[in-house]
Amino acid sequence: MAYQYESISLGRPPADRAAAADHCWFPGPPPPIYSCTLTPDLEAKAREELQEKPEWRLRDVQALRDMILKEHPNLRTRLDDAFLLRFLRARKFDYDRALQLLLNYHAGRKAWPEVFQDLKPSTVRHVLDLGFLTVLPRPDPRGRYILFLRPGKWKPNDYPFVDNVRAIYLTLEKLIQPEETQVNGIVILADYTGVGMSQASNPGPFLAKKVVSILQDGFPIRIKAVNIINEPRIFKGIFAIIKPFLKEKMAERYVLHGSDLRSLHQNIPPSVLPEGYGGTAGRLDMSAWSRLLLDCEEEFIVEFCQPDPLEGVVLPDSMLFEGEHAGGKDEDTVRGLRSQLYYCY
């Protein structure tokens, strides 16, 4: 059976040497013809934590590829080694769970066209220019890159909240390309300075549920910790919206620091933090990550601006996001949680 996919070269180098030098702080993806880029230490870590055996790696990839071709022959997805390894690593080389994650990954695109239609960096330039997110240039001592969010920079009158989700998703897609991120995972740091009632009540439970569903069950990345700093009292209401949709393990990874930098430094060392957060890594530069994403416009066009990969594919109802059918229940939840927000505020 012929593979129903096109060979996609993601993470191709920027067009000029100056741009390549500008992005040298962030590792590139594996080569088009897969060759493992993990160091011996990371291979040992992958063996211990992910049940990845180097001598069986390509056999495992082929097993997952065969399952896709046999069980979902009409699914238009990448089948190259590097791409499928993301899903195997995210599910500790359990074939069935890796396949489910891959199907969820594509189902998420179908369930939320507002996020995934025409998804490319140039369409979220306004989010990047606002300073809503960046990736800190230095990973933490465990090799985990830090996705830094500043929700207070966004105001509902600026643009729809879903644009923030688009920018986050593009960032995750770039972060997951290097194999070291697939093994080490990432850390999220969110500074809630400036977040008030208008931002807190805008997404609502329905939107929060869809975001959490994609991050937990529809994307091949390991989120190892979520650090919240400078959260206002209203955050109790915000977390009340999110927590019901979090798995227990993920909920336990949320750490609230308030304004206590010493508490933050116990989780993220000063050596990787910018000056404004008691760190020694220099001034916060929000533009470096923006430039990196924008220079990768072509690869995202190839990846996301193509026909629906699930067109003609029938998925069981269990794979659809529950929010698609929740309707009135979610509306009742919105009213109840908004009351909590006003109480906290």
Side-chain angles (χ1 to χ4, degrees):
M1 179 182 296
Y3 294 167
Q4 297 192 25
Y5 78 144
E6 294 182 3
S7 179
I8 301 172
S9 178
L10 292 180
R12 54 176 60 88
D16 58 75
R17 294 181 179 179
D22 189 37
H23 307 326
C24 64
W25 60 274
F26 186 73
I33 298 177
Y34 178 74
S35 175
C36 183
T37 60
L38 296 177
T39 64
D41 286 345
L42 281 177
E43 282 200 333
K45 182 176 182 179
R47 183 186 291 270
E48 179 180 353
E49 296 185 8
L50 307 181
Q51 286 74 61
E52 176 175 347
K53 297 177 175 61
E55 63 273 22
W56 292 356
R57 184 186 293 123
L58 295 183
R59 183 209 67 173
D60 292 334
V61 170
Q62 186 61 48
L64 177 58
R65 184 183 293 119
D66 290 342
M67 290 176 67
I68 297 167
L69 293 171
K70 179 180 179 180
E71 300 177 24
H72 302 277
N74 295 322
L75 179 65
R76 288 194 297 269
T77 183
R78 287 175 57 190
L79 293 172
D80 55 280
D81 296 344
F83 182 73
L84 295 183
L85 268 172
R86 302 177 189 179
F87 296 87
L88 285 166
R89 285 169 172 151
R91 291 298 180 263
K92 298 185 177 181
F93 281 77
D94 182 314
Y95 299 163
D96 291 325
R97 294 178 65 226
L99 175 60
Q100 185 67 57
L101 178 60
L102 175 67
L103 294 174
N104 289 350
Y105 173 83
H106 288 298
R109 300 190 190 187
K110 190 176 186 69
W112 207 353
E114 304 97 311
V115 169
F116 295 101
Q117 186 173 4
D118 195 33
L119 183 59
K120 53 189 177 183
S122 61
T123 64
V124 297
R125 185 189 292 268
H126 55 291
V127 181
L128 302 173
D129 290 344
L130 189 67
F132 179 83
L133 65 74
T134 192
V135 172
L136 299 185
R138 299 181 186 177
D140 72 6
R142 298 181 182 180
R144 306 175 300 191
Y145 276 96
I146 299 167
L147 170 57
F148 182 39
L149 305 173
R150 297 194 295 178
K153 291 292 181 180
W154 171 77
K155 303 295 186 294
N157 291 334
D158 293 336
Y159 52 78
F161 181 81
V162 74
D163 288 1
N164 293 328
V165 180
R166 287 165 63 86
I168 291 172
Y169 198 91
L170 285 170
T171 290
L172 293 177
E173 282 284 351
K174 195 64 188 174
L175 278 172
I176 200 57
Q177 288 181 358
E179 290 194 283
E180 49 260 58
T181 300
Q182 297 167 25
V183 174
N184 292 325
I186 66 168
V187 170
I188 295 176
L189 171 61
D191 180 359
Y192 271 75
T193 298
V195 171
M197 178 60 67
S198 61
Q199 294 101 325
S201 61
N202 187 275
F206 179 64
L207 190 55
K209 187 175 190 178
K210 294 180 84 169
V211 172
V212 171
S213 294
I214 287 177
L215 293 181
Q216 286 190 145
D217 302 312
F219 195 87
I221 200 164
R222 306 170 71 208
I223 300 175
K224 305 300 291 182
V226 181
N227 293 272
I228 310 295
I229 192 168
N230 296 323
E231 71 275 14
R233 286 190 302 167
I234 198 174
F235 186 80
K236 293 181 180 179
I238 299 173
F239 197 61
I241 294 175
I242 300 172
K243 191 172 182 180
F245 313 128
L246 294 173
K247 295 178 179 178
E248 182 178 357
K249 181 183 289 188
M250 180 59 68
E252 292 173 351
R253 292 176 178 174
Y254 275 71
V255 183
L256 309 184
H257 301 287
S259 58
D260 187 351
L261 291 179
R262 288 178 297 179
S263 174
L264 175 64
H265 294 165
Q266 290 175 3
N267 292 268
I268 303 178
S271 59
V272 303
L273 288 169
E275 294 172 355
Y277 297 87
T280 59
R283 297 181 61 183
L284 177 63
D285 179 9
M286 303 296 292
S287 64
W289 185 255
S290 300
R291 291 194 301 271
L292 188 151
L293 281 185
L294 291 167
D295 284 341
C296 296
E297 179 88 356
E298 183 181 350
E299 73 180 62
F300 284 110
I301 291 175
V302 172
E303 181 76 356
F304 290 103
C305 304
Q306 304 295 326
D308 181 2
L310 291 179
E311 186 177 351
V313 178
V314 178
L315 298 175
D317 289 341
S318 61
M319 287 189 57
L320 296 177
F321 289 96
E322 294 179 10
E324 294 296 311
H325 306 293
K329 180 181 178 182
D330 273 338
E331 293 175 6
D332 292 339
T333 307
V334 170
R335 285 191 287 270
L337 290 174
R338 278 181 177 168
S339 297
Q340 291 187 41
L341 288 173
Y342 279 104
Y343 179 76
C344 294
Y345 196 64

